[in-house]
Amino acid sequence: MANEYYEKLIRCRDAVRAKTDFQPRIGLTLGSGLGPVAETMDIVATVDYKDLPGFPVSTVPGHAGRFLFGYIGGVPVVCMQGRVHYYEGFDIHDVVLPARVMGLLGIKTLFLTNAAGGLDPKMDIPSLMVIRDQMMFNLPNPLMGPNLDELGPRFPDMSDIYDPALRKVLHETAAKLGQKLEEGVYIQLSGPSFETPFEVRYFGSIGGGAVGMSTACEAVAARHMGLRVCGISCIANLGAGLTDAPLCHEEVMAAGDAIAERFSALVTAAIPAIDKA
Ligand code: HPA
């Protein structure tokens, strides 16, 4: 597996390199409903995932499937519009392949975003949450299998998986913009069903801030490679059972629309500061 998979990573990187020699310093992964951030980007090149041999392509509505290369606030960035999820049936190694390809393209920092369900009934909907720490529940660790020594060590430390200096930058940026920004622990579940009310009460009771179906496995793969990681969850709804309303994907997408402008302003302003931190 190791060699075949590593060869696929290199093939994907080389296929991107054959289309553009743009050198990004930050990778930005956009979650469900958050794609419009890319409108603030000064785009230099676009690469469709389907044109990269072996690259996983999402089947979820609301997820475009392409890398955008260009500048945000003058900083060279590669932006992922669309990502794949474990619940789509992909192998966990393929779920984190895009993060690893961005690492091989030379990014220093991976900025992960997602839509998530809030675990604290007092949270505003929609709102934004800086990810302080994380937990993966009911899905395999993406580093399982033979270690890819070319990428990182067998037993990587995850103490500061979300870089403390970058979390500070996100809070300072939000304060400058007059935006409220929560901070909390993100819990990734496999999905695709939303959680039960019991699961939501349980994850809230152990200190979780939000639940979702992405991000944590990508953060682990990125830290394995020594990348700095930061993340923001768009709290699109309260977790199941915290309100009377049933959950649906349309609500998540609508929350993305409702917060798109605020989210874009925060990300756009934070990127130059992240680049300097
Ligand atoms: N649970 C899991 N994932 C989500 C949710 C949720 O409530 N909302 C948006 N993504």
Side-chain angles (χ1 to χ4, degrees), residues 194-247:
F194 287 112
E195 300 68 35
T196 63
F198 178 84
E199 287 168 335
V200 166
R201 283 198 305 279
Y202 171 70
F203 290 121
S205 76
I206 61 169
V211 275
M213 306 176 193
S214 67
T215 301
C217 57
E218 295 152 86
V220 167
R223 281 303 294 147
H224 176 237
M225 296 180 80
L227 302 181
R228 298 174 90 188
V229 178
C230 63
I232 293 183
S233 289
C234 162
I235 309 300
N237 55 277
L238 286 179
L242 297 180
T243 65
D244 293 335
L247 305 186

Side-chain angles (χ1 to χ4, degrees), residues 94 116 139-140 169 184 191 205:
D94 280 334
L139 71 166
V169 163
S205 76

